Amino acid sequence: MGSWHWNDQESPTATVGVRATMGAVTMKNDAKAEQRPYVFVRGYDSRLHINWWNGKVWDWSDQGTPAGRTIIEKVGAVTVQDGPNEQQRPYAFVITDDSKLHVNWWDGIKWNWSDQGAPSGRHIREGVGVVSVQDSPGAKQRPYVFVITDDFRLWVNWWDGSKWNWSDQGAPPSHTISRPLGVTTMKNDANAFTRPYAFVITEDSKVWVNWWDGSKWNWSDQGAPSGQLVKKGVGVISVQNDPNAQQRPYAFVQGYDSKLYVNWWDGSKWNWSAQGAPSGRLILDSVGVVTMKDDPNAFTRPYVFVIGDDSKLYLNWWDGKAWHWAAQDTPPGRVIERPGEALTMQNDPNATQRPYAFVITDDSDLWVNWWSLT
């Protein structure tokens, strides 16, 4: 029987606490290896740090900053593989104090900082998220980084296999983009290419998605939950009924009533569903969204971590038949002050996935609420 645990990840140093998380990924040295979490944070020194599992213990590593710059905002993190059997390599994208995009990335031997710049004549206002795409299941993965610029339009910084490019995705017709929601990728089947979906919230507090259909980019109006406008994004994932099925996006949002809603694709049409809130509580903020698989051939199940108005962690999760709310509480003797990141772990490719939810407490430490199989 498994159980939930809280673990204090502490902070980068005795004098530098965690100010905000910048993204999280899992790493594998090869296709059969154990996954290892890497959580990127911004310290109170405005530098990038990683809390990572080396296979035996947790470590903190100081990644520094781009030359002459400080880090002010997150975009997200992703892993890149040069082939299905190659080592995964983390890429963490951040916005610096000159409103430009930078990436801290592992080339297989060492860490590097690269200046991605900004779209010509523009400043980067906010990050939407990062995904990696593949032209086929055996192809190299290529990062796509979505951001909002100072003219409230969506841009993507993407790797074509030989160089980085900036592309103007524009904005929904007759609207401006006010807030990010999140990004995911779609595959029509196991052998198909991946297609990016970037969800945003417009000035009228409704959801739109900018998506690639295989030949062109499209904007689609997702609207809002019935009788409710969208306050902010919670996260976006893709689910599968089985490993060979079409992936289906789920976009979770917080309404102005401080409750959780999901905009999801059932395979033929989009739907809005009201997830509510934990009993007697309202939702204050979000931590992250992941999908869970009980084994490699199982369907994926969404897990949504949020912070309640009592500063405790809660989980909205799908068991395969029904949605549930679970109270994850708080680290012993601490209060959750800021949201963090969520990811899933596997001990090996055939093992059950296990959720990890990272938060920042009132002493500026990083904590993780994680599921153990024992």
Side-chain angles (χ1 to χ4, degrees):
M1 177 68 75
S3 57
W4 287 99
H5 303 267
W6 280 102
N7 194 70
D8 186 0
Q9 306 298 99
E10 300 179 345
S11 54
T13 72
T15 58
V16 176
V18 178
R19 188 168 189 172
T21 58
M22 298 285 105
V25 296
T26 53
M27 264 282 292
K28 291 177 71 172
N29 292 344
D30 60 66
K32 297 181 180 180
E34 176 190 36
Q35 288 183 325
R36 299 185 291 109
Y38 277 50
V39 184
F40 295 86
V41 307
R42 175 168 60 115
Y44 274 95
D45 55 359
S46 294
R47 295 166 68 91
L48 186 68
H49 301 266
I50 309 177
N51 183 233
W52 62 288
W53 176 253
N54 69 12
K56 296 180 180 179
V57 297
W58 287 95
D59 288 316
W60 280 100
S61 295
D62 183 355
Q63 303 299 101
T65 64
R69 303 263 60 103
T70 57
I71 297 166
I72 62 170
E73 191 72 58
K74 72 176 282 187
V75 179
V78 73
T79 55
V80 175
Q81 278 184 293
D82 296 325
N85 297 315
E86 298 296 323
Q87 180 191 50
Q88 290 179 321
R89 299 185 291 106
Y91 280 51
F93 293 85
V94 300
I95 302 169
T96 48
D97 57 345
D98 56 354
S99 297
K100 293 184 178 179
L101 182 68
H102 284 79
V103 59
N104 185 234
W105 62 288
W106 176 254
D107 64 13
I109 300 173
K110 67 183 185 304
W111 287 97
N112 307 271
W113 278 105
S114 294
D115 183 355
Q116 305 298 101
S120 179
R122 299 265 58 99
H123 294 290
I124 296 173
R125 177 183 174 88
E126 203 164 5
V128 179
V130 189
V131 293
S132 61
V133 305
Q134 284 180 290
D135 298 325
S136 66
K140 289 184 178 181
Q141 292 179 330
R142 301 184 290 110
Y144 276 50
V145 190
F146 293 87
V147 300
I148 302 169
T149 48
D150 55 349
D151 57 351
F152 303 99
R153 294 166 69 90
L154 182 69
W155 285 77
V156 59
N157 184 233
W158 60 287
W159 177 254
D160 65 12
S162 59
K163 67 182 186 306
W164 286 96
N165 306 271
W166 279 104
S167 294
D168 184 0
Q169 305 299 101
S174 303
H175 289 284
T176 57
I177 298 169
S178 67
R179 307 183 287 289
L181 202 171
V183 297
T184 190
T185 55
M186 265 282 292
K187 288 180 74 172
N188 293 347
D189 59 66
N191 296 314
F193 54 85
T194 50
R195 300 187 289 110
Y197 277 50
F199 291 81
V200 297
I201 303 166
T202 45
E203 86 293 338
D204 57 353
S205 296
K206 294 185 178 179
V207 174
W208 285 76
V209 59
N210 184 237
W211 61 287
W212 176 253
D213 65 12
S215 59
K216 67 182 186 305
W217 287 97
N218 307 269
W219 280 105
S220 293
D221 183 357
Q222 305 300 101
S226 178
Q228 190 60 229
L229 293 176
V230 176
K231 184 178 182 180
K232 57 184 175 181
V234 173
V236 185
I237 52 171
S238 291
V239 305
Q240 280 183 293
N241 295 344
D242 63 66
N244 295 313
Q246 181 190 49
Q247 291 180 326
R248 300 184 290 109
Y250 278 49
F252 292 86
V253 302
Q254 181 182 332
Y256 275 95
D257 59 355
S258 297
K259 294 183 179 181
L260 182 69
Y261 297 87
V262 59
N263 182 231
W264 60 287
W265 176 254
D266 65 12
S268 60
K269 66 182 188 303
W270 286 97
N271 307 269
W272 279 102
S273 295
Q275 304 298 100
S279 179
R281 301 262 59 100
L282 296 174
I283 296 171
L284 182 66
D285 214 334
S286 60
V287 176
V289 185
V290 296
T291 56
M292 266 283 295
K293 290 181 75 171
D294 296 325
D295 62 69
N297 296 314
F299 54 86
T300 50
R301 301 186 289 110
Y303 275 48
V304 188
F305 293 90
V306 299
I307 300 171
D309 57 356
D310 56 354
S311 297
K312 294 182 179 181
L313 184 67
Y314 292 89
L315 170 62
N316 185 233
W317 63 287
W318 175 254
D319 68 5
K321 296 180 180 179
W323 286 96
H324 305 271
W325 280 101
Q328 305 299 99
D329 294 319
T330 62
R334 300 260 59 102
V335 174
I336 298 173
E337 190 173 84
R338 280 157 281 162
E341 309 286 338
L343 51 77
T344 55
M345 265 282 294
Q346 273 185 302
N347 295 347
D348 62 67
N350 296 314
T352 300
Q353 290 182 323
R354 300 184 290 110
Y356 280 52
F358 295 84
V359 297
I360 304 167
T361 48
D362 53 335
D363 58 350
S364 296
D365 268 12
L366 185 70
W367 282 77
V368 60
N369 184 235
W370 62 286
W371 177 256
S372 168
L373 296 177
T374 59

